[in-house]
């Protein structure tokens, strides 16, 4: 079977499994994303290992430590595009006024979500005999990562993305991303020999971040004109096509220019486009493209990349790492949100929404493995930790957030060229 036929078959399997598992999760009162991630775990090497079946021969390299084959690479690339578009949609649904009001809380929640996990990871490493400098600190650095793509999807399903807590979670995640990259750079700088990263390199990283965010926000002032120009083009779906180009360029620039996660760039593009009169038209156009295939591929791929069988004698370490990752992130973000003026219930919701490490945690762990800061056993434990924190986040958010009624946005033709409107999200079941 050719690579293309393998890819077509595995995509059909992924999308079918994602939608059926999402429907089953909704039936038992859980967010759809929980079912999709669980389905990925079942399809992955932990249970069924579908990519190892004869029909997908040569999908994975059999040699130990060899790079993944072209099929899983294709799935992973589609998954990355899916999470980039997911965070663009989250940006579209962000209430800027509310985010400004919770800016101080978001900063301190992010700060608490970095300090406590860093300390917790280092202590956990020491308890198992790993050196504090620099393995322990790097494990702590992995725990500081936050990826709210899972939280954003769950909050959209619960129609709670534009609440005070939802705005705080998204704002804190962006700040956490910046803090995490700086921390990662500092740890790597001191962990390597003199030929590695220097303090001047760290300063350069900060300069790159400032340059990216400043330039991206400045360009965002012209998005109204960009949207108007795109809407006048005499081609099909011209507005959506131009918006996709901008979102993908922002994602590219975030990582290549600014040194932060690509999802931060696409999220920022969504926030800026939400200020234009084309917000609703963009929102309705991007949803079918994203939720029909790309987002299901992303959620399923999380389980496909995890292998619970590879833990060996690291089960106890992995279990404790998972507990520390959940407790320290939830407590750090929640406590500092409470100290910043949120109620106890709001603080608990913020803490729950920041637990997921997602692809950001995988990126940091992979960087440590590639640079010799952690071994393969610690890396495997980190992957399971990422998967566990990703899976517990949707049920915790469902438990802590009250379900809100959703309102379907008006038809596209009624919104193009009109004034911006405040709209809620389409119910997750319509996706």
């Amino acid at each position: 079977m050719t690579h293309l036929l393998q890819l077509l078959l595995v995509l059909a399997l992924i999308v079918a499994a994602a939608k059926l598992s999402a429907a089953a999760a909704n039936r038992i009162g859980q967010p759809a994303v929980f079912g999709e991630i669980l389905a990925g775990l079942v399809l992955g090497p932990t249970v069924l290992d579908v990519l190892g079946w004869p029909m997908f021969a040569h999908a994975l390299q059999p040699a130990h430590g060899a790079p993944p084959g072209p099929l899983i690479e294709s799935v992973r690339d589609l998954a990355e595009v899916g999470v980039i578009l997911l965070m663009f949609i989250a940006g579209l649904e962000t209430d800027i006024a509310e985010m400004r009001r919770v800016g101080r809380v978001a900063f301190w929640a992010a700060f608490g979500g970095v300090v406590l996990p860093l300390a917790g990871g280092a202590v956990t490493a020491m308890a198992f005999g790993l050196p504090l400098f620099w393995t322990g600190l790097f494990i702590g650095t992995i725990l500081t990562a936050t990826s709210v793509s899972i939280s954003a999807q769950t909050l959209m399903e619960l129609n709670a993305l534009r609440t005070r807590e939802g705005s705080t979670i998204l704002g804190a995640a962006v700040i956490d991303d910046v803090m995490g990259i700086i921390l990662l750079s500092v740890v790597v700088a001191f962990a390597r020999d003199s030929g590695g990263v220097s303090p001047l390199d760290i300063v350069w990283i900060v300069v790159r971040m400032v340059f990216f965010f400043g330039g991206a926000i400045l360009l965002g002032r012209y998005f109204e004109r960009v949207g108007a120009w795109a809407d006048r083009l005499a081609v099909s779906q011209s507005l959506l096509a131009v918006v996709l180009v901008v979102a993908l360029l922002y994602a590219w620039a975030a990582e290549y220019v600014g040194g932060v996660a690509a999802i931060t760039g696409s999220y920022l593009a969504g926030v800026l486009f939400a200020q234009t009169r084309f917000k609703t038209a963009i929102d309705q156009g991007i949803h079918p493209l994203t939720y029909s295939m790309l987002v299901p591929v992303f959620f399923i791929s999380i389980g496909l990349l995890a292998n619970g069988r590879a833990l060996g004698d690291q089960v106890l370490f992995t279990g404790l790492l998972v507990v520390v990752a959940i407790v320290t992130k939830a407590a750090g973000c929640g406590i500092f949100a409470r100290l910043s003026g949120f109620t106890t219930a709001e603080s608990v919701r913020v803490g729950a929404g920041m637990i997921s490490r997602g692809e950001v945690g995988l990126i940091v762990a992979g960087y440590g493995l590639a640079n010799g800061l952690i071994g393969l056993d610690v890396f495997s434990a980190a992957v399971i930790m990422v998967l566990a924190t990703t899976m517990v986040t949707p049920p915790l958010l469902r438990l802590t957030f009250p379900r809100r009624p959703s309102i379907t946005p008006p038809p596209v033709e009624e919104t193009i060229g009109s004034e911006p409107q405040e709209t809620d999200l389409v119910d997750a079941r319509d996706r």
Side-chain angles (χ1 to χ4, degrees):
M1 191 182 299
T2 66
H3 170 70
L4 176 59
L5 293 181
Q6 287 181 332
L7 182 61
L8 294 176
L9 185 58
V10 79
L11 287 178
L13 178 62
I14 286 174
V15 174
K19 294 305 180 182
L20 291 175
S21 59
N26 281 329
R27 281 185 172 273
I28 61 174
Q30 293 298 329
V33 62
F34 176 78
E36 292 172 330
I37 297 172
L38 185 60
L41 185 62
V42 173
L43 294 177
T46 302
V47 182
L48 297 179
D49 192 19
V50 295
L51 293 184
W53 291 0
M55 66 183 68
F56 299 122
H58 309 299
L60 297 174
Q61 296 289 345
H64 177 70
L71 183 58
I72 190 64
E73 283 291 347
S74 298
V75 172
R76 186 181 299 172
D77 289 342
L78 288 173
E80 290 298 322
V81 176
V83 71
I84 285 171
L85 295 184
L86 173 61
M87 290 309 296
F88 176 79
I89 291 174
L92 281 177
E93 299 304 330
T94 298
D95 188 335
I96 287 294
E98 186 61 45
M99 186 168 283
R100 289 196 185 102
R101 285 194 289 270
V102 300
R104 182 175 64 89
V105 183
F107 174 83
W108 287 112
F111 178 79
V114 168
V115 173
L116 262 67
L118 177 64
V123 170
T124 302
M126 291 176 60
F128 282 84
L130 297 173
L132 174 61
F133 298 101
W134 295 94
T135 303
L137 284 179
F138 191 82
I139 292 174
T141 303
I142 297 174
L143 298 194
T144 65
T146 296
S147 174
V148 293
S149 53
I150 307 298
S151 299
Q153 166 64 13
T154 306
L155 290 173
M156 282 190 276
E157 291 182 18
L158 299 174
N159 203 29
L161 193 66
R162 306 183 75 172
T163 61
R164 280 217 311 170
E165 303 94 308
S167 298
T168 301
I169 291 169
L170 292 175
V174 173
I175 298 170
D176 185 287
D177 187 24
V178 174
M179 290 182 177
I181 293 296
I182 295 174
L183 178 62
L184 175 63
S185 304
V186 171
V187 171
V188 172
F190 287 100
R192 286 180 165 183
D193 56 22
S194 57
V197 181
S198 68
L200 186 61
D201 293 326
I202 298 173
V203 174
W204 173 238
I205 289 172
V206 175
V207 171
R208 288 172 58 194
M209 290 181 182
V210 173
F211 178 76
F212 164 71
F213 282 107
I217 293 172
L218 182 63
L219 289 175
R221 297 181 177 180
Y222 299 95
F223 279 8
E224 183 74 37
R225 298 179 186 178
V226 171
W229 171 78
D231 197 40
R232 291 194 301 267
L233 290 178
V235 294
S236 62
Q237 299 296 330
S238 56
L239 175 62
L240 182 60
V242 171
V243 167
L244 282 174
V245 169
V246 174
L248 295 176
L249 285 176
Y250 264 56
W252 168 82
E255 194 159 314
Y256 189 78
V257 178
V260 295
I263 58 175
T264 300
S266 61
Y267 172 75
L268 181 57
V271 170
L272 295 172
F273 269 114
Q275 311 311 305
T276 70
R277 70 177 186 269
F278 303 98
K279 184 263 180 187
T280 304
I282 296 169
D283 199 24
Q284 289 197 345
I286 200 81
H287 271 82
L289 171 66
T290 304
Y291 284 99
S292 59
M293 185 181 77
L294 293 174
V295 166
V297 170
F298 166 63
F299 291 134
I300 293 291
S301 71
I302 295 174
L304 290 178
L305 296 175
N307 188 1
R309 303 179 187 179
L311 291 179
D313 58 355
Q314 295 292 321
V315 175
L316 182 59
F317 171 73
T318 304
L320 183 59
L321 191 67
V322 169
V323 172
V324 170
I326 294 172
V327 172
T328 56
K329 180 66 80 169
C333 297
I335 290 172
F336 275 82
R338 183 70 179 87
L339 293 175
S340 300
F342 270 30
T343 66
T344 300
E346 290 172 336
S347 302
V348 169
R349 293 166 189 159
V350 170
M354 295 290 288
I355 290 174
S356 174
R357 271 42 174 208
E359 73 288 345
V360 177
L362 292 176
I363 291 170
V364 176
Y367 186 88
L369 180 65
N371 288 272
L373 298 176
I374 58 174
L376 186 60
D377 54 347
V378 175
F379 174 77
S380 298
V383 171
I384 297 300
M385 178 275 297
V386 168
L387 181 65
T389 57
T390 299
M391 289 192 66
V392 302
T393 299
L396 288 177
L397 287 175
R398 180 68 182 87
L399 182 66
T400 56
F401 272 90
R403 184 85 186 197
R404 297 167 181 269
S406 59
I407 302 174
T408 303
V412 176
E413 60 268 19
E414 296 178 8
T415 60
I416 295 178
S418 61
E419 293 301 314
Q421 300 181 28
E422 296 291 329
T423 60
D424 290 317
L425 294 167
V426 181
D427 190 271
R429 289 171 296 182
D430 295 334
R431 296 171 184 153

